[in-house]
Amino acid sequence: MSLRHLSIDELVDRALGGDRRAVGRLLSIVERGGAEAEQVETRTHAHGTDAHVIGITGAPGAGKSTMVARLVAAFTAASRGPAVVAVDPSSPLTGGAILGDRVRMAEVDTSAFIRSVATRGHSGGLALSVPGSARVLAAAGFDPVIIETVGVGQVEVDVTAAADTTVVVVTPGMGDAVQANKAGLLEVADIFVVNKADLPGASDARRDLELMLELSHVTGQEDASRRPPIVMVDSLAGEGIDAVRGAIDEHHDHLVTTDRLVERRRRRARYEMRSRAALAFERHLDDQLHTSEVAAMVEDVLAGSETPSSAARRLWQPDAS
Ligand SMILES: Nc1nc2c(ncn2[C@@H]2O[C@H](COP(=O)(O)OP(=O)(O)OP(=O)(O)O)[C@@H](O)[C@H]2O)c(=O)[nH]1
Ligand SMILES: [Mg+2]
């Protein structure tokens, strides 16, 4: 039966009841954004707020998907089981290679819900749609919700800001740990994974991370009461996956017992509100740029009768003189 004729309210009712196809449709709506996405949000945001949102990030090819496939299998289904949102820079459209190529779907807990979102063709909206998608999945009863993103650039850091627990994956060789540091991933990491620990140089990667953590400890991390653990993993063989799971659970307990979970979610809400307001304002500005008023301001700036700064101020504060 097709779900196309259903209203958003009906889709939400079905999704909350565990209908996976309805969940899929809602995710498509959230990914498109706009008024319908907001309607979905209104109906779902109060549900599933207990779900643990886990961000997994790292360089392209670090083995994130392979590890996530293993992790999904390791998470015993508490309710409807885990869900994954994979932000996939390489897939042309959704439905590209999602989980690691060598860990076959058959090995993965079939109760998991896997969603791939392509970054290609997205401009800024992705960082906003991913937290929304995570909320839909949580509302539908999936727990934990795992978000996989490539750890380069601002969008990815934005997306990891949507997580309760952030796992940063590095690999032996090529100064991965140093790169992670440069990309600002050291501060956001709650747990480090040295994946591909079967390859030479794994202990060097571990030592690099320890050194950098030592240094950043001096300059001060967000949560000084806790040093992020470093877990050695071979995702192909499935070694170390239980330890990653253990570290994730330990971090969740830490957040709960120290009241940091609510503080993190407060910060997240603030951040998401800011991102949404900024995007809406950018769109508003872009529309403005095509009006005759702005064309006249451009001429004034060119003629030297108005400075760019004062013209800009008139753009965002049209009522100010
Ligand atoms: N030797 C070894 N290879 C691994 C391990 N984990 C993953 N790989 C391989 O590394 C390659 C990349 O794995 P993916 O899981 O697709 O990596 P990814 O980080 O998800 O890649 P992107 O999503 O494209 O950034 C694949 O060929 C994997 O088989 C590991 O623990 N050891
Ligand atoms: Mg991947």
Side-chain angles (χ1 to χ4, degrees), residues 171-181 208 212:
T171 53
M174 300 188 299
D176 241 27
V178 180
Q179 292 305 323
N181 188 14
D208 286 352
M212 272 180 294

Side-chain angles (χ1 to χ4, degrees), residues 58-67 88-90 100-102 148 150 195-199 233-237:
K64 298 177 293 297
S65 297
T66 311
M67 187 184 80
D88 188 339
S90 48
D101 47 5
R102 305 265 192 93
E148 178 197 330
V150 176
N195 190 42
K196 309 194 186 186
D198 51 305
L199 300 183
V233 174
D234 174 352
S235 292
L236 285 186

Side-chain angles (χ1 to χ4, degrees), residues 46-119:
H47 296 271
T49 52
D50 284 345
H52 187 194
V53 182
I54 304 162
I56 312 267
T57 192
K64 298 177 293 297
S65 297
T66 311
M67 187 184 80
V68 166
R70 295 280 187 199
L71 258 185
V72 157
F75 273 104
T76 48
S79 48
R80 274 172 212 147
V84 179
V85 181
V87 181
D88 188 339
S90 48
S91 100
L93 263 177
T94 55
I98 302 167
L99 291 179
D101 47 5
R102 305 265 192 93
V103 180
R104 295 195 314 278
M105 281 301 281
E107 293 178 55
V108 172
D109 188 334
T110 49
S111 67
F113 191 103
I114 317 282
R115 182 77 172 187
S116 174
V117 205
T119 45

